[in-house]
Amino acid sequence: MKRRHNFTIFSTETGIEVIESTVKSLILSELKKGALSFQEIVRITDKSKSTVSKHLSDLRKAGLIVEMPDPEDRRRKLFEINSRYLGKLTRKRIDELDEEKTEFLAEHLTERGDPLEFFRLMFHVLRVELIKEGINIDPVRHEAGKRIGEVIYPRIASEELGDLLENLRRFWMINRLGVLEVESTDPLVIRAYECFECGLLHQIGESACALDSGILEAVFSRHFKGDVIVEETECYARGDGRCSFRIVPES
């Protein structure tokens, strides 16, 4: 099979940077978790000091990272990410995508009399075409979901978790985003059926509900008055019979 080429995409103060190097991508991925020293980066990448030094120099020049003195040891430098992760691009063979799915969506765009259904299908045509080109913008969709969650929270807010969950279920149903069910409250696990975001996608082998995850993250961060982590443990796009979200406080 032909080798896939993976690229990661970052936004800097001066524009967009596309990273092809797997080592640079690994460094940036680790720096997203927190600042690291040069020695730590050498250990994580398992590369020579000269190789790591060259990669760090390139990343600094591109405005992707910054270096600063270690407050605990002024003789040592720490490196910190100075950019925002936007997504990834994977060069794939065209036949890796189910072309019939794209055709089905396009053919049905004009067959439905419901305007909402029209935009639903149009949304999925766009997503399928992006996936076909190997473009993953989940981080952008997740951030968009968080903005939406912040907007809708005042409309569904309640001091009682049960009331908030019921209001969220009704909001999902009224806006035809799917059918929500609460599997448990400790930990908080929410199931979604007839999912708007991924229900019409072909199986891509990975979770595909970054927008929904962002909405849930914003809503429950506001409710619990602290950051939460939303993990999608099941997804239609992974071949599961539903989407499931596990929501826990960020440690």
Side-chain angles (χ1 to χ4, degrees), residues 78-170:
L78 292 179
F79 296 88
E80 190 174 63
I81 197 162
N82 189 42
S83 52
R84 187 162 65 92
Y85 178 54
L86 297 181
K88 64 183 178 181
L89 172 64
T90 304
R91 294 297 187 193
K92 298 181 179 180
R93 300 186 326 180
I94 294 298
D95 60 4
E96 290 184 24
L97 178 74
D98 180 0
E99 293 290 341
E100 293 183 359
K101 175 64 71 173
T102 310
E103 293 172 3
F104 168 80
L105 293 171
E107 288 173 0
H108 286 73
L109 273 176
T110 56
E111 292 184 3
R112 310 294 180 90
D114 186 343
L116 179 59
E117 190 66 14
F118 172 84
F119 286 108
R120 170 187 171 94
L121 287 169
M122 187 167 64
F123 170 77
H124 284 292
V125 168
L126 175 61
R127 285 199 67 191
V128 168
E129 288 301 319
L130 288 172
I131 292 170
K132 184 173 72 174
E133 295 301 324
I135 300 173
N136 181 322
I137 56 170
D138 281 357
V140 176
R141 291 171 45 239
H142 185 78
E143 288 301 313
K146 287 169 63 176
R147 291 179 181 271
I148 295 169
E150 289 288 344
V151 170
I152 70 172
Y153 178 75
R155 298 171 54 187
I156 64 174
S158 175
E159 292 185 3
E160 298 295 328
L161 176 59
D163 292 339
L164 171 64
L165 290 168
E166 174 59 21
N167 293 342
L168 183 65
R169 184 194 67 79
R170 291 171 59 191

Side-chain angles (χ1 to χ4, degrees), residues 11-42:
S11 172
T12 71
E13 294 180 354
T14 58
I16 303 297
E17 293 287 338
V18 179
I19 307 300
E20 182 175 5
S21 163
T22 56
V23 177
K24 287 186 174 72
S25 293
L26 175 59
I27 292 172
L28 290 168
S29 175
E30 291 299 319
L31 289 179
K32 284 194 298 177
K33 303 172 186 176
L36 294 171
S37 68
F38 178 79
Q39 290 76 13
E40 288 171 324
I41 295 173
V42 170

